Amino acid sequence: MQFVIYSVMVAGGVAALSEIWGELQRAAGATERLVELLQTTDDVQDPAHPKALANPVRGHIAFEDVHFSYPARPDTVALGGVSLDIKPGETVAFVGPSGAGKTTIIQLILRFYDPASGRITLDGVDLRDVTRDTFRRAIALVPQDPVIFATSALENIRFGRPDATQAEVMRAAKAAAAHDFIDALPDGYDSYLGERGVMLSGGQKQRIAIARAILRDAPVLLLDEATSALDAESERAVQMAVDRLSADRTTLIVAHRLATVKKADRIVVLDAGQIVATGTHDALVAKGGLYARLAKLQFTDGIAAE
C-alpha cells in the first residue's frame, strides 16, 4: 500500500512538472516577444533642435510632391507625387476607392510616418522640424474606429481636453448629439463604459469621439470616416455639428459616402495614390470621371443629387 501511495504521489508530481514546463515555455516565448517590442526603435524621431509654430496656429497645410510607401509594403506606392495646398479655414474632402491613399494623408499629417520624399508643412513649417507633441496639440482627430477607455463617459470625452469643466463636456456632448444617450445611462455622465466601450454601440462610440474633438477646439480638424457607423438621424445631427465646428478651422474629411462631403469647399479625388481631380461636387459631377461614377452608384436616383 505504501508503494502504491508513493507511486501515485510521484506520478502526480511528474504530471505537475510537465504542466509547469509547458507554462515556462509559453512564458519564455512571450518574454522574447516583449523584449523585441521594448528594443524596437521608432523610425519617426523628433528633431534635436525643434522649430516653433506660430501662435495661434492658422491651419495652413501643404503637401509638396509627397511620395510615400508603407514600410510593410515598400514596393507598393501609397502616395505618388501628391501636391496640395489647403488654406486656413478651408474644408477639404478626400474621396476615392479603397486603397487610394485617403487615410494615408491623415496619417502623414499626424506624422505616424514620414514621407520618402517631399515635405508636409503646417503654417509653412515642415512637420519634421517640429516636435510631435507641439503640432498635435493643434489637431483634433475623429478616427473611423474610435478608442473608448475603461472609464466614465465624462472622462472619455474629457480626454480631448483634460482641464475641461463638466459643463464644457456636456456642451460638447450636446453638439455631437451624444448627450441624450449618455444622460439615459444608469449613472449619466459618470456611467462606466467598459473596456473598449463594450457598453456602447458603434454609433455611440463615434459620437463620443466627435464630442472629444469638439471639446478640444483645435484649429485643424481631421475626420476619418467620422459618421460611418451612424444611423441617418444621428448622422444628420452630427453633420450639422461638424458644419458648425468646421466653420472657422481647417477641416479634412475622409469619406466613402459622398453625401457627407457635398458641402466641402473642395473635393480631392484620389486613385492609386494620385490626385486625379479636384473641385466642388457639382463641378466634378459635370466633369465626369471617377467621382461622377461614384456619385452615380451612391445616389438613389442613379444620378448625382442636386
Side-chain angles (χ1 to χ4, degrees):
M1 289 297 296
Q2 286 181 327
F3 176 79
V4 171
I5 293 171
Y6 290 151
S7 298
V8 171
M9 293 175 63
V10 171
V14 172
L17 284 175
S18 65
E19 291 180 6
I20 293 172
W21 179 252
E23 293 291 338
L24 287 173
Q25 291 292 96
R26 285 192 289 271
T31 303
E32 183 178 351
R33 179 58 179 154
L34 286 172
V35 171
E36 289 178 2
L37 290 173
L38 290 172
Q39 293 178 344
T40 300
T41 57
D42 190 356
D43 293 333
V44 178
Q45 297 291 332
D46 287 333
H49 304 287
K51 295 182 180 179
L53 289 173
N55 190 14
V57 173
R58 297 172 57 240
H60 182 190
I61 299 173
F63 282 69
E64 301 176 4
D65 193 27
V66 172
H67 292 77
F68 174 73
S69 297
Y70 284 100
R73 304 189 301 273
D75 298 329
T76 302
V77 176
L79 291 180
V82 170
S83 294
L84 185 65
D85 190 76
I86 302 170
K87 302 297 183 184
E90 186 178 14
T91 298
V92 177
F94 297 91
V95 301
S98 297
K102 305 183 295 296
T103 299
T104 301
I105 285 179
I106 300 295
Q107 292 177 340
L108 290 177
I109 291 175
L110 290 168
R111 206 176 169 224
F112 292 159
Y113 304 94
D114 282 333
S117 63
R119 67 177 194 151
I120 304 168
T121 64
L122 176 60
D123 289 351
V125 181
D126 193 323
L127 293 182
R128 289 172 290 197
D129 295 332
V130 186
T131 61
R132 286 167 289 180
D133 180 63
T134 299
F135 72 78
R136 286 176 182 172
R137 292 176 187 170
I139 298 174
L141 170 67
V142 181
Q144 183 177 0
D145 186 17
V147 176
I148 303 298
F149 300 100
T151 183
S152 66
L154 179 71
E155 293 303 323
N156 264 285
I157 297 175
R158 191 179 276 159
F159 181 77
R161 184 156 59 88
D163 60 344
T165 64
Q166 184 165 350
E168 291 173 325
V169 170
M170 293 180 68
R171 282 197 295 270
K174 289 177 181 178
H179 174 75
D180 290 341
F181 82 79
I182 294 176
D183 195 49
L185 293 173
D187 296 318
Y189 281 82
D190 293 324
S191 297
Y192 178 73
L193 300 184
E195 192 70 34
R196 299 185 64 83
V198 295
M199 310 296 291
L200 304 177
S201 68
Q204 290 171 337
K205 291 178 186 179
Q206 282 195 308
R207 279 180 276 179
I208 291 286
I210 292 169
R212 279 182 195 158
I214 293 173
L215 183 66
R216 190 170 179 82
D217 195 26
V220 177
L221 178 63
L222 306 180
L223 304 174
D224 188 2
E225 294 284 358
T227 60
S228 61
L230 300 182
D231 58 79
E233 185 178 357
S234 298
E235 181 179 6
R236 181 177 178 82
V238 169
Q239 192 62 48
M240 293 175 63
V242 169
D243 290 343
R244 293 193 298 269
L245 180 64
S246 62
D248 57 350
R249 71 197 71 235
T250 305
T251 306
L252 279 67
I253 304 172
V254 171
H256 283 290
R257 291 193 291 196
L258 303 186
T260 63
V261 302
K262 288 172 60 178
K263 295 181 181 179
D265 298 324
R266 187 163 33 131
I267 298 173
V268 177
V269 185
L270 292 166
D271 190 19
Q274 303 277 347
I275 295 177
V276 296
T278 60
T280 62
H281 169 78
D282 293 334
L284 290 172
V285 169
K287 184 178 179 180
L290 175 59
Y291 185 86
R293 292 199 303 273
L294 293 173
K296 185 176 181 179
L297 288 171
Q298 290 192 25
F299 293 120
T300 56
D301 58 356
I303 60 173
E306 295 296 334

mmCIF file of all heavy atoms in Angstrom, residues 64-89:
data_model
loop_
_atom_site.group_PDB
_atom_site.id
_atom_site.type_symbol
_atom_site.label_atom_id
_atom_site.label_comp_id
_atom_site.label_asym_id
_atom_site.label_seq_id
_atom_site.Cartn_x
_atom_site.Cartn_y
_atom_site.Cartn_z
ATOM 1 N N GLU A 64 3.923 68.944 -50.531
ATOM 2 C CA GLU A 64 4.811 69.353 -51.613
ATOM 3 C C GLU A 64 5.493 68.126 -52.216
ATOM 4 O O GLU A 64 6.468 67.623 -51.666
ATOM 5 C CB GLU A 64 5.848 70.362 -51.099
ATOM 6 C CG GLU A 64 5.223 71.630 -50.510
ATOM 7 C CD GLU A 64 6.257 72.563 -49.912
ATOM 8 O OE1 GLU A 64 7.472 72.266 -50.028
ATOM 9 O OE2 GLU A 64 5.855 73.582 -49.303
ATOM 10 N N ASP A 65 4.935 67.636 -53.319
ATOM 11 C CA ASP A 65 5.483 66.492 -54.062
ATOM 12 C C ASP A 65 5.811 65.328 -53.124
ATOM 13 O O ASP A 65 6.937 64.834 -53.093
ATOM 14 C CB ASP A 65 6.728 66.929 -54.841
ATOM 15 C CG ASP A 65 7.153 65.885 -55.880
ATOM 16 O OD1 ASP A 65 6.282 65.126 -56.349
ATOM 17 O OD2 ASP A 65 8.351 65.809 -56.196
ATOM 18 N N VAL A 66 4.800 64.875 -52.383
ATOM 19 C CA VAL A 66 4.986 63.837 -51.368
ATOM 20 C C VAL A 66 4.896 62.452 -51.994
ATOM 21 O O VAL A 66 3.917 62.120 -52.669
ATOM 22 C CB VAL A 66 3.936 63.990 -50.248
ATOM 23 C CG1 VAL A 66 4.003 62.800 -49.289
ATOM 24 C CG2 VAL A 66 4.155 65.295 -49.495
ATOM 25 N N HIS A 67 5.938 61.654 -51.762
ATOM 26 C CA HIS A 67 5.956 60.238 -52.148
ATOM 27 C C HIS A 67 6.044 59.417 -50.873
ATOM 28 O O HIS A 67 6.816 59.737 -49.967
ATOM 29 C CB HIS A 67 7.152 59.917 -53.053
ATOM 30 C CG HIS A 67 7.071 60.541 -54.410
ATOM 31 N ND1 HIS A 67 7.342 61.884 -54.627
ATOM 32 C CD2 HIS A 67 6.745 60.009 -55.625
ATOM 33 C CE1 HIS A 67 7.200 62.155 -55.919
ATOM 34 N NE2 HIS A 67 6.835 61.044 -56.545
ATOM 35 N N PHE A 68 5.269 58.326 -50.818
ATOM 36 C CA PHE A 68 5.275 57.513 -49.603
ATOM 37 C C PHE A 68 4.839 56.087 -49.912
ATOM 38 O O PHE A 68 3.924 55.858 -50.708
ATOM 39 C CB PHE A 68 4.344 58.110 -48.544
ATOM 40 C CG PHE A 68 4.182 57.254 -47.321
ATOM 41 C CD1 PHE A 68 5.201 57.132 -46.395
ATOM 42 C CD2 PHE A 68 3.009 56.543 -47.104
ATOM 43 C CE1 PHE A 68 5.067 56.328 -45.272
ATOM 44 C CE2 PHE A 68 2.849 55.744 -45.978
ATOM 45 C CZ PHE A 68 3.882 55.640 -45.067
ATOM 46 N N SER A 69 5.522 55.134 -49.268
ATOM 47 C CA SER A 69 5.127 53.728 -49.284
ATOM 48 C C SER A 69 5.211 53.210 -47.852
ATOM 49 O O SER A 69 6.122 53.577 -47.105
ATOM 50 C CB SER A 69 6.053 52.895 -50.183
ATOM 51 O OG SER A 69 5.970 53.307 -51.532
ATOM 52 N N TYR A 70 4.280 52.376 -47.476
ATOM 53 C CA TYR A 70 4.298 51.824 -46.124
ATOM 54 C C TYR A 70 5.484 50.887 -45.947
ATOM 55 O O TYR A 70 5.849 50.157 -46.879
ATOM 56 C CB TYR A 70 2.999 51.073 -45.838
ATOM 57 C CG TYR A 70 1.829 51.988 -45.571
ATOM 58 C CD1 TYR A 70 0.903 52.267 -46.570
ATOM 59 C CD2 TYR A 70 1.657 52.588 -44.323
ATOM 60 C CE1 TYR A 70 -0.171 53.118 -46.334
ATOM 61 C CE2 TYR A 70 0.588 53.440 -44.080
ATOM 62 C CZ TYR A 70 -0.316 53.699 -45.086
ATOM 63 O OH TYR A 70 -1.374 54.546 -44.846
ATOM 64 N N PRO A 71 6.121 50.899 -44.766
ATOM 65 C CA PRO A 71 7.293 50.034 -44.531
ATOM 66 C C PRO A 71 7.006 48.551 -44.789
ATOM 67 O O PRO A 71 7.891 47.821 -45.241
ATOM 68 C CB PRO A 71 7.626 50.286 -43.050
ATOM 69 C CG PRO A 71 7.075 51.644 -42.765
ATOM 70 C CD PRO A 71 5.845 51.767 -43.606
ATOM 71 N N ALA A 72 5.776 48.117 -44.506
ATOM 72 C CA ALA A 72 5.440 46.707 -44.713
ATOM 73 C C ALA A 72 5.235 46.372 -46.193
ATOM 74 O O ALA A 72 5.283 45.206 -46.577
ATOM 75 C CB ALA A 72 4.184 46.344 -43.926
ATOM 76 N N ARG A 73 4.999 47.415 -47.021
ATOM 77 C CA ARG A 73 4.794 47.207 -48.460
ATOM 78 C C ARG A 73 5.628 48.221 -49.237
ATOM 79 O O ARG A 73 5.087 49.115 -49.898
ATOM 80 C CB ARG A 73 3.314 47.344 -48.815
ATOM 81 C CG ARG A 73 2.401 46.429 -48.030
ATOM 82 C CD ARG A 73 0.975 46.444 -48.579
ATOM 83 N NE ARG A 73 0.390 47.780 -48.564
ATOM 84 C CZ ARG A 73 -0.241 48.301 -47.529
ATOM 85 N NH1 ARG A 73 -0.373 47.596 -46.408
ATOM 86 N NH2 ARG A 73 -0.756 49.506 -47.579
ATOM 87 N N PRO A 74 6.941 48.094 -49.179
ATOM 88 C CA PRO A 74 7.796 49.111 -49.804
ATOM 89 C C PRO A 74 7.668 49.189 -51.324
ATOM 90 O O PRO A 74 7.990 50.229 -51.917
ATOM 91 C CB PRO A 74 9.215 48.683 -49.394
ATOM 92 C CG PRO A 74 9.093 47.220 -49.099
ATOM 93 C CD PRO A 74 7.726 47.038 -48.526
ATOM 94 N N ASP A 75 7.194 48.129 -51.958
ATOM 95 C CA ASP A 75 7.070 48.133 -53.414
ATOM 96 C C ASP A 75 5.733 48.682 -53.891
ATOM 97 O O ASP A 75 5.527 48.843 -55.104
ATOM 98 C CB ASP A 75 7.246 46.701 -53.962
ATOM 99 C CG ASP A 75 8.626 46.142 -53.658
ATOM 100 O OD1 ASP A 75 9.581 46.943 -53.584
ATOM 101 O OD2 ASP A 75 8.746 44.912 -53.483
ATOM 102 N N THR A 76 4.819 48.959 -52.962
ATOM 103 C CA THR A 76 3.503 49.497 -53.328
ATOM 104 C C THR A 76 3.448 50.977 -52.983
ATOM 105 O O THR A 76 3.673 51.362 -51.827
ATOM 106 C CB THR A 76 2.391 48.751 -52.559
ATOM 107 O OG1 THR A 76 2.476 47.350 -52.856
ATOM 108 C CG2 THR A 76 1.019 49.266 -52.970
ATOM 109 N N VAL A 77 3.159 51.792 -53.959
ATOM 110 C CA VAL A 77 3.115 53.243 -53.760
ATOM 111 C C VAL A 77 1.789 53.624 -53.110
ATOM 112 O O VAL A 77 0.708 53.380 -53.675
ATOM 113 C CB VAL A 77 3.278 53.977 -55.101
ATOM 114 C CG1 VAL A 77 3.136 55.492 -54.896
ATOM 115 C CG2 VAL A 77 4.627 53.656 -55.718
ATOM 116 N N ALA A 78 1.859 54.195 -51.915
ATOM 117 C CA ALA A 78 0.649 54.669 -51.241
ATOM 118 C C ALA A 78 0.293 56.080 -51.695
ATOM 119 O O ALA A 78 -0.877 56.406 -51.898
ATOM 120 C CB ALA A 78 0.844 54.633 -49.723
ATOM 121 N N LEU A 79 1.302 56.933 -51.830
ATOM 122 C CA LEU A 79 1.128 58.278 -52.393
ATOM 123 C C LEU A 79 2.268 58.519 -53.371
ATOM 124 O O LEU A 79 3.433 58.295 -53.043
ATOM 125 C CB LEU A 79 1.146 59.350 -51.303
ATOM 126 C CG LEU A 79 -0.032 59.409 -50.322
ATOM 127 C CD1 LEU A 79 0.178 60.537 -49.317
ATOM 128 C CD2 LEU A 79 -1.352 59.578 -51.049
ATOM 129 N N GLY A 80 1.921 58.971 -54.554
ATOM 130 C CA GLY A 80 2.950 59.205 -55.562
ATOM 131 C C GLY A 80 2.934 60.624 -56.097
ATOM 132 O O GLY A 80 2.122 60.965 -56.963
ATOM 133 N N GLY A 81 3.778 61.477 -55.537
ATOM 134 C CA GLY A 81 3.898 62.846 -56.036
ATOM 135 C C GLY A 81 2.689 63.712 -55.746
ATOM 136 O O GLY A 81 2.248 64.477 -56.613
ATOM 137 N N VAL A 82 2.153 63.636 -54.527
ATOM 138 C CA VAL A 82 0.966 64.418 -54.167
ATOM 139 C C VAL A 82 1.384 65.830 -53.770
ATOM 140 O O VAL A 82 2.231 66.022 -52.897
ATOM 141 C CB VAL A 82 0.199 63.746 -53.014
ATOM 142 C CG1 VAL A 82 -0.881 64.672 -52.464
ATOM 143 C CG2 VAL A 82 -0.409 62.441 -53.489
ATOM 144 N N SER A 83 0.787 66.812 -54.427
ATOM 145 C CA SER A 83 0.987 68.228 -54.084
ATOM 146 C C SER A 83 -0.382 68.852 -53.855
ATOM 147 O O SER A 83 -1.277 68.732 -54.702
ATOM 148 C CB SER A 83 1.720 68.968 -55.202
ATOM 149 O OG SER A 83 3.039 68.480 -55.349
ATOM 150 N N LEU A 84 -0.541 69.497 -52.713
ATOM 151 C CA LEU A 84 -1.844 70.026 -52.337
ATOM 152 C C LEU A 84 -1.653 71.173 -51.365
ATOM 153 O O LEU A 84 -0.833 71.090 -50.452
ATOM 154 C CB LEU A 84 -2.688 68.919 -51.698
ATOM 155 C CG LEU A 84 -4.132 69.230 -51.328
ATOM 156 C CD1 LEU A 84 -4.953 69.508 -52.582
ATOM 157 C CD2 LEU A 84 -4.733 68.056 -50.545
ATOM 158 N N ASP A 85 -2.403 72.244 -51.575
ATOM 159 C CA ASP A 85 -2.330 73.410 -50.695
ATOM 160 C C ASP A 85 -3.708 73.639 -50.083
ATOM 161 O O ASP A 85 -4.681 73.885 -50.805
ATOM 162 C CB ASP A 85 -1.875 74.647 -51.476
ATOM 163 C CG ASP A 85 -1.545 75.804 -50.550
ATOM 164 O OD1 ASP A 85 -0.473 75.784 -49.921
ATOM 165 O OD2 ASP A 85 -2.377 76.736 -50.455
ATOM 166 N N ILE A 86 -3.780 73.548 -48.755
ATOM 167 C CA ILE A 86 -5.050 73.685 -48.035
ATOM 168 C C ILE A 86 -4.991 74.973 -47.228
ATOM 169 O O ILE A 86 -4.170 75.114 -46.315
ATOM 170 C CB ILE A 86 -5.302 72.474 -47.127
ATOM 171 C CG1 ILE A 86 -5.301 71.183 -47.961
ATOM 172 C CG2 ILE A 86 -6.619 72.631 -46.379
ATOM 173 C CD1 ILE A 86 -5.312 69.918 -47.125
ATOM 174 N N LYS A 87 -5.851 75.921 -47.564
ATOM 175 C CA LYS A 87 -5.824 77.226 -46.937
ATOM 176 C C LYS A 87 -6.419 77.182 -45.522
ATOM 177 O O LYS A 87 -7.241 76.307 -45.223
ATOM 178 C CB LYS A 87 -6.615 78.237 -47.780
ATOM 179 C CG LYS A 87 -6.098 78.380 -49.207
ATOM 180 C CD LYS A 87 -4.685 78.910 -49.234
ATOM 181 C CE LYS A 87 -4.204 79.128 -50.674
ATOM 182 N NZ LYS A 87 -2.784 79.550 -50.715
ATOM 183 N N PRO A 88 -6.038 78.111 -44.663
ATOM 184 C CA PRO A 88 -6.631 78.159 -43.319
ATOM 185 C C PRO A 88 -8.142 78.332 -43.391
ATOM 186 O O PRO A 88 -8.654 79.159 -44.157
ATOM 187 C CB PRO A 88 -5.960 79.391 -42.689
ATOM 188 C CG PRO A 88 -4.680 79.556 -43.440
ATOM 189 C CD PRO A 88 -4.973 79.116 -44.834
ATOM 190 N N GLY A 89 -8.863 77.533 -42.623
ATOM 191 C CA GLY A 89 -10.313 77.620 -42.595
ATOM 192 C C GLY A 89 -11.017 76.883 -43.717
ATOM 193 O O GLY A 89 -12.247 76.844 -43.750
#
